[in-house]
């Protein structure tokens, strides 16, 4: 994924992203430092930028995405 040059995230954005990713990893018993979690983090950024901008909608979208 490539972010636009002027793209930035507020602390609130990062809180939403981290909270959803933490929940996703906990549900799957995946270490946050694992390769699978890194792929999920990348997907979460894409999904967030696509409009899934709350913890609940982002987590739902992460659950629904197909595994790569």
């Amino acid at each position: 994924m490539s972010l636009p040059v002027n793209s930035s995230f507020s602390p609130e954005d990062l809180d939403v992203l981290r909270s959803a990713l933490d929940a996703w990893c906990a549900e799957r018993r995946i270490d946050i430092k694992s390769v699978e979690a890194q792929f999920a983090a990348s997907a979460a950024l894409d999904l967030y930028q696509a409009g899934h901008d709350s913890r609940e909608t982002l987590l739902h979208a992460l659950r629904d995405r197909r595994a790569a």
Side-chain angles (χ1 to χ4, degrees), residues 18-31:
R18 181 62 192 248
S19 177
L21 184 61
D22 283 343
W24 186 87
C25 287
E27 289 174 0
R28 285 158 183 74
R29 296 185 179 115
I30 296 169
D31 187 317

Side-chain angles (χ1 to χ4, degrees), residues 10-60:
S10 71
E12 292 80 15
D13 296 331
L14 296 176
D15 287 343
V16 168
L17 286 159
R18 181 62 192 248
S19 177
L21 184 61
D22 283 343
W24 186 87
C25 287
E27 289 174 0
R28 285 158 183 74
R29 296 185 179 115
I30 296 169
D31 187 317
I32 193 74
K33 297 177 185 173
S34 71
V35 171
E36 190 172 357
Q38 290 175 18
F39 283 120
S42 179
L45 287 169
D46 288 340
L47 291 165
Y48 189 86
Q49 290 184 317
H52 301 279
D53 57 1
S54 73
R55 179 190 182 276
E56 293 76 22
T57 60
L58 182 56
L59 181 55
H60 182 73

